Amino acid sequence: MSLHPETLLAHAGTSVDTNNGAILHPPQMVTTFHRSGDGSYPSGNIYTRSSNPTRRLFEETLATLEGGAACAAFSSGQAATMAILQSLSPDSHVLIPESAYFGIGALLSEVLEGKSLTFDRVDMTNLIEVKAKILPNTRLIWVETPSNPLCLISDIEALARLAHQNEAVLVVDNTLSTPLLQNPLKHGADLVMHSVTKFLSGHSDVLAGAVIAKEETLLQKIRQVQILGGAVMDPFSAWLALRGMRSLGARMRIHQENARLIASFLAGHHRVKCVHYPGLATGDVQTLVAHQMSGYGGLFSFEVYGTAEDALAITSRVKVFTRATSLGGTESLIEHRYSVEKPPTTTPPTLLRCSVGLEHPDDLIEDLAQALSF
Ligand SMILES: *Cc1c(COP(=O)(O)O)cnc(C)c1O
């Protein structure tokens, strides 16, 4: 019987403990494992930096949900990104989106560039431009779709073809969609990266990341970097992430329904210039969304008329939304990204990003309506 993702999620990490009948295993808060007299490790575990049963349970669950062969779980989304980049051979060139989660560009430009890698930014929604920027030593193309915070949609299948023609791998940051709404490996991507901190965990209390590979061999070097470098997901975070994932199906339905209602309200507001949300896409973008996604998610952004200061002032008036960074929790968050990212960011100065939580949608709409009335 092939089960739907909602069913797999509802049972994530649950199985009967035959020792005592408990229907859940507690987190294995332990660093080291017993060695037999003959020198072997019968459990397969040696030391928690290399492997831990709770982390492995999380990894197997997420690999299944993404349709991948294997998964490695990290101490944060950025640690997962770092391991992917550090696994490349020296002198590799990397292409990243002009508009994407701010941290990947900062990691490349401030930490890695020059040491072993070079990189370029490109508009990943424009395949002609992507093709033109591929170099003979391009080994990795990174795409985030929908992107944070502009919700840009890139064509995963077309980018995978371009990458493979050049012996490069395509990595998709799938944080905003989660495996419930988009499975990039099924569209030709080689690796999927998640900030587990966001919708997957879902309660703003876990910092974690993950990489899922289409084939086990693609994960070997990444695992080596992870285990030797030590940026692993700790057992309690793995346990909390699994607990969060069990309600992802139900949460995502509400995140998305709320986001759709608020985005539609804002799209008709006289102070709002435009709303960026996959659910409001039109034309070719709408076709692409329908082809590679099964839902629109809970994050959108909007641009207001006026200045950066006007946009910031709107956030000062919210009462139900919380002013904070991050996304994917039960509470709605609003953020003026431009003042965090600073020029030369591609994020517009008058953009506000909203992560829509599980509150009653009328309260959220009323809150934004009063914040926008000045
Ligand atoms: C938050 C985020 C990251 C980074 O993840 P951390 O867990 O904060 O290290 C990467 N990509 C996207 C899209 C994110 O939202």
Side-chain angles (χ1 to χ4, degrees), residues 339-362:
S339 48
V340 178
E341 297 176 8
K342 302 194 168 67
T345 176
T346 53
T347 299
T350 60
L351 178 139
L352 294 174
R353 184 184 76 184
C354 293
S355 171
V356 180
L358 307 181
E359 302 92 338
H360 195 289
D362 292 353

Side-chain angles (χ1 to χ4, degrees), residues 219-242:
L219 208 60
Q220 273 167 8
K221 187 76 192 170
I222 295 169
R223 271 228 177 88
Q224 195 182 28
V225 170
Q226 175 192 39
I227 291 169
L228 294 175
V232 296
M233 183 189 270
D234 70 275
F236 191 54
S237 294
W239 191 80
L240 277 178
L242 283 165

